[in-house]
Amino acid sequence: MTPADLATVIRDCVATAVAAGDFAGDAPADVVVERPKNPEHGDYATNVALRLAKPAGRPAREVAELVAARLRALDGIDRVDVAGPGFLNITLATGTLGGVAGEIVEAGASFGIAGVLVGQKLNLEFVSANPTGPVHIGAVRWAAVGDALARILQAAGADVTREYYFNDAGSQIERFARTLREVAHGRPVPEDGYAGTYIDEISAAIVTANPGLLERLEDDQTEVFRREGVELMFAEIKGSLASFGVHFDVYFNERDLHDQHKLEAAIKRLRDQGNVFESEGATWLRTTDYGDDRDRVLARSNGELTYFAADCAYYLDKRDRGFDRAVIMLGADHHGYIGRLRAMATCFGDDPDQTLEILIGQLVNLVRDGEPLRMSKRAGTVIVLADLVDAIGADAARYALVRYSSDQSIDIDLDAWARKTNDNPVYYVQYAHARTRNVARNAESFGITVADALQPELLDHAADAALLTALGEFPRVVATAAELRAPHRIAHYLENLASTYHRWYDTDECRVTPKGDAEVNDGNRARVWLNEATHVVLANGLRLLGVSAPDRM
């Protein structure tokens, strides 16, 4: 019985108690079931009686005793104790808890999938770096976190579209094109240009592909360097992200908004809502009415449409494509965008609490030999994706970036994350998975496999119970990580599970294979199921983070 199963049982008991007149109220839609901090307090605990006390008009302990009495009468429940102001501590019967292993093995890759976000259509926008250079370390964090979050949201039942928004026009692209042109002529990089060997490589490739280019008019040269430079740079960005395991469903070009006159359409929609006004020859959106610190210009006095107008058009485009919510992942320097974007959504007539979500990520610093790493071999002044992957590998890089809450700055010690030791968190978790596969191979040599029927009552050791309880938590952890947009919770869970598994593995009474010349017994056959269940959960959790689950290490 997993925590989700137990929550359903408790909710049914409460509904029965209410129907029988034990106390007034309604069964809560959600029942929180958690592991007690002290294992002596049982397998699970719930505060449901404290939540029921007020509508029941009775002390929480009285309500708890009434619910406990009904739970004690059920098969599969060994003991229910009322603690403190009205907490219920529940101990499952041995066979009931052991059955978790069978449920997990039978579910396989689908174990952990939750339905908490079923029916939600989400647009998740992340990375969204313009094609003027390799993916820098800040965007790499969003690549790892964004992709993991997309996987977790999908596991929770949401319909997720991964989207990359870019602009192949504007001042950044013009500076990029001019830099490529100047480098091709052997002239110094412009003061506001881009540096790095990647500039030399792209510039040379364009010259090679276009014989006679440097003899053309300067404006013609610049256009070729702009067009082909963006194409080559974007191909590299897509390739580096793909090698990092990150793929997008949609690459959205801001230029399309302009070509399809969607900025004008968005301004008209905002005007129809009564939130647009004219002042000093410019067109403004009255965002201060909805919490912004100042009103925003949509069109300047010369008629030029602003970047904010493009933001408005892009948001409206997402909504018109049928997304219930636009989730946007932005860097630390974009904190000021939150107020204006929320106000903009309100100006369209939406409730930003329902249709818009902005996640702000903090900075990443790489450290080697105790010193900050500030220079890239290829990109000059910034650290990029290739630098990180070359130093510690894709798995360690993804895990290191996802392991911490994205709203906190992190220092990644390259030496520590490259070590093949248990103090490296990703190695520790992956080693636990590889150990489950080694145990399974050894067990098979004794003829011990999950082809034998599970006898859950034989999983009766305290170490079995601890591992079973930890495994059963996985669906709740996935659901919470999805609802809180917190992939790091999966990483922390996996590390705790790996620790619990390693302790179980080291317990003589919990062996999967017989010791010495001993005969294979039913306890061995039962524990191969528990070993296999651990493999399933570790593999599923690592998959959600975009990290491999090796069979051998």
Side-chain angles (χ1 to χ4, degrees), residues 317-336:
D317 182 85
K318 289 178 180 178
R319 296 286 287 135
D320 287 346
R321 281 186 276 153
F323 293 106
D324 301 314
R325 179 177 294 216
V327 183
I328 307 171
M329 308 179 81
L330 298 174
D333 56 343
H334 287 74
H335 202 278

Side-chain angles (χ1 to χ4, degrees), residues 2 97-112 454 467-475 493 497 529-538 540:
T2 66
L97 187 58
V100 170
E103 293 180 39
I104 293 171
V105 173
E106 289 168 13
S110 66
F111 184 73
L454 170 64
L467 184 53
L468 285 161
T469 306
L471 292 168
E473 285 286 295
F474 185 56
Y493 166 80
L497 176 60
W529 280 82
L530 187 47
N531 183 74
E532 189 71 12
T534 306
H535 144 65
V536 168
V537 174
L538 286 171
N540 289 359

Side-chain angles (χ1 to χ4, degrees), residues 7-18:
T8 300
V9 168
I10 295 170
R11 187 165 53 247
D12 290 345
C13 278
V14 171
T16 301
V18 170

Side-chain angles (χ1 to χ4, degrees), residues 229-241:
V230 165
E231 185 177 322
L232 289 171
M233 192 70 255
F234 212 9
E236 179 177 324
I237 289 171
K238 290 180 180 180
S240 65
L241 288 171

Side-chain angles (χ1 to χ4, degrees), residues 388-399:
L388 181 58
V389 173
D390 288 348
I392 62 176
D395 278 347
R398 287 192 63 134
Y399 196 97

Side-chain angles (χ1 to χ4, degrees), residues 189-405:
V189 172
E191 276 191 24
D192 61 349
Y194 294 88
T197 59
Y198 80 95
I199 290 289
D200 300 327
E201 294 165 2
I202 292 175
S203 179
I206 294 171
V207 171
T208 300
N210 295 272
L213 173 61
L214 301 185
E215 283 74 52
R216 299 188 202 177
L217 294 174
E218 191 170 84
D219 286 349
D220 291 344
Q221 292 180 41
T222 303
E223 174 55 26
V224 172
F225 281 112
R226 187 202 66 76
R227 184 181 65 250
E228 297 192 16
V230 165
E231 185 177 322
L232 289 171
M233 192 70 255
F234 212 9
E236 179 177 324
I237 289 171
K238 290 180 180 180
S240 65
L241 288 171
S243 67
F244 198 49
V246 178
H247 303 271
F248 289 88
D249 304 301
V250 175
Y251 286 92
F252 195 104
N253 191 340
E254 182 186 324
R255 184 189 295 271
D256 293 339
L257 296 172
H258 294 271
D259 292 347
Q260 298 168 27
H261 305 290
K262 291 196 173 184
L263 278 71
E264 294 85 353
I267 292 172
K268 181 180 184 303
R269 182 84 68 90
L270 291 166
R271 193 184 298 278
D272 291 344
Q273 291 285 335
N275 294 312
V276 172
F277 67 97
E278 313 295 328
S279 177
E280 300 177 352
T283 301
W284 298 72
L285 185 63
R286 191 176 286 108
T287 52
T288 52
D289 284 358
Y290 304 106
D292 196 5
D293 57 355
R294 59 188 175 89
D295 293 325
R296 303 289 168 176
V297 178
L298 295 169
R300 297 187 177 92
S301 57
N302 63 1
E304 180 185 0
L305 297 173
T306 64
Y307 284 121
F308 183 68
D311 290 338
C312 294
Y314 186 38
Y315 170 79
L316 183 60
D317 182 85
K318 289 178 180 178
R319 296 286 287 135
D320 287 346
R321 281 186 276 153
F323 293 106
D324 301 314
R325 179 177 294 216
V327 183
I328 307 171
M329 308 179 81
L330 298 174
D333 56 343
H334 287 74
H335 202 278
Y337 278 58
I338 297 176
R340 75 185 71 168
L341 293 179
R342 284 180 57 85
M344 172 264 291
T346 307
C347 288
F348 275 118
D350 286 341
D351 178 356
D353 288 337
Q354 301 299 319
T355 64
L356 179 66
E357 187 172 348
I358 301 166
L359 307 177
I360 300 293
Q362 295 302 319
L363 301 176
V364 180
N365 300 303
L366 302 188
V367 177
R368 172 171 280 155
D369 298 327
E371 296 293 329
L373 190 65
R374 303 194 185 281
M375 297 292 289
S376 168
K377 293 179 181 178
R378 185 157 183 269
T381 58
V382 294
I383 303 299
V384 298
L385 173 56
D387 298 318
L388 181 58
V389 173
D390 288 348
I392 62 176
D395 278 347
R398 287 192 63 134
Y399 196 97
L401 291 164
V402 168
R403 186 174 183 257
Y404 305 93
S405 175

